[in-house]
Amino acid sequence: MPKVILTGAAGGIGQATARLLWEKGYTLVLTDSRKEALETAYPTLPGGSCLQEVDVTSIEAWQALAQAHGDADVLIQLAGVMRAGNFLEQPLEVWHLHAQVNLYGIVYGAWTFGRLFVQRGRGHLIHIASLAGVAPIPGITSYTATKFGVRGFSLALDAELRPQGVPVTVICPGPVATPLIFNELPKPESVYTLSAGGLLKPEAVAQAIFRAIRRRPKEILLPAGKAWAARMVSLFPRLQDIAARFLRTDAEARRQKLLRNRPPFS
């Protein structure tokens, strides 16, 4: 079975993906910027798999990862951050954080491992973007911008690399029940992340990742209903203003309910 590298493996989607891929017999290199979080999430590992601390914003860290695991077959880039808030009220450091982790991190990984994969004529890059990279979401402007960047970068890169035997798949899920969402819920600006309904389970994204490994599509959007709505807003941006007026009340009710019942994430 292929050897797979995951970034952001200590997160909710990372853990769900690791469990599923282990069930399918894959060997995993699980990376995160937080070594302690990795060790807490994975107290034991199947034979052949390993943990490695990696700062995705450092090209040197990527080169060290490639040196240690250049025989990997698939790179899955899950690492990401989101900080809700009105753009003009946030310091520029918040923008820099989003750009460095969400966008440059993926660019560095794709550049490092894409070159290795092209040299041997096989490999697969899988990037996690968001439906916020299909339809813009107010209140998470910097996050939205970087996810649009990830999606555009991935689709363009696929056109370059797929003819050389290295497909690139971008996966765009709606909001997922992970700390990324729950930790931002106390901020009123996060309300529009919930405007199209409830939260996906991390396991649903893990299944999409496994489907991507097997079928190597250019893009996967999920869930289907939200994906359709996001594509419509992308085609007709005026719909965003209409949707915001009609959906805000329900979204705020969902936010308050989730705040009362959110898990004790840190």
Side-chain angles (χ1 to χ4, degrees):
M1 295 295 282
K3 181 177 182 179
V4 178
I5 298 174
L6 279 76
T7 69
I13 296 174
Q15 292 182 52
T17 302
R19 289 193 298 268
L20 177 61
L21 295 185
W22 277 327
E23 290 175 4
K24 304 298 183 181
Y26 289 79
T27 298
L28 306 181
V29 179
L30 303 169
T31 81
D32 202 281
S33 62
R34 306 160 296 161
K35 185 65 177 295
E36 299 82 3
L38 275 174
E39 292 171 345
T40 299
Y42 306 100
T44 61
L45 296 171
S49 293
C50 66
L51 306 178
Q52 185 163 336
E53 184 175 6
V54 174
D55 175 5
V56 299
T57 70
S58 165
I59 188 63
E60 291 79 14
W62 277 108
Q63 290 170 342
L65 184 64
Q67 185 75 23
H69 301 286
D71 59 339
D73 301 283
V74 182
L75 172 64
I76 303 172
Q77 300 210 60
L78 298 169
V81 297
M82 184 179 77
R83 301 290 185 267
N86 292 321
F87 176 70
L88 295 182
E89 297 171 3
Q90 293 179 316
L92 277 176
E93 287 77 11
V94 174
W95 161 257
H96 293 154
L97 176 66
H98 284 94
Q100 289 164 359
V101 176
N102 295 353
L103 184 54
Y104 284 114
I106 279 184
V107 169
Y108 290 165
W111 186 83
T112 303
F113 278 88
R115 288 157 68 94
L116 289 176
F117 292 167
V118 166
Q119 285 174 6
R120 66 180 187 232
R122 60 179 178 82
H124 189 188
L125 299 170
I126 299 177
H127 301 157
I128 303 302
S130 169
L131 288 184
V134 181
I137 307 295
I140 52 169
T141 301
S142 297
Y143 179 84
T144 290
T146 56
K147 292 303 183 179
F148 263 80
V150 169
R151 181 169 177 254
F153 169 73
S154 302
L155 292 172
L157 187 62
D158 178 74
E160 292 182 5
L161 300 189
R162 191 176 289 260
Q164 301 180 69
V166 183
V168 181
T169 300
V170 61
I171 300 177
C172 300
V176 185
T178 67
L180 186 82
I181 292 292
F182 283 108
N183 288 342
E184 298 303 299
L185 286 178
K187 302 174 184 177
E189 298 89 348
S190 71
V191 64
Y192 287 112
T193 64
L194 305 173
S195 60
L199 302 176
L200 284 166
K201 293 182 179 180
E203 291 76 13
V205 184
Q207 288 288 347
I209 291 170
F210 181 55
R211 188 162 74 250
I213 292 173
R214 289 183 296 136
R215 300 179 183 175
R216 300 186 169 193
K218 292 179 178 292
E219 182 175 52
I220 297 175
L221 275 60
L222 71 152
K226 290 183 183 180
W228 177 86
R231 288 195 185 278
M232 290 299 293
V233 170
S234 180
L235 286 171
F236 305 103
R238 173 71 174 161
L239 290 175
Q240 182 183 40
D241 299 332
I242 298 170
R245 289 198 300 271
F246 283 98
L247 297 176
R248 183 182 175 92
T249 299
D250 286 343
E252 179 60 25
R254 277 190 290 275
R255 187 176 78 91
Q256 293 298 331
K257 183 178 180 180
L258 286 169
L259 277 173
R260 291 191 297 270
N261 300 293
R262 67 175 176 155
F265 289 132
S266 61

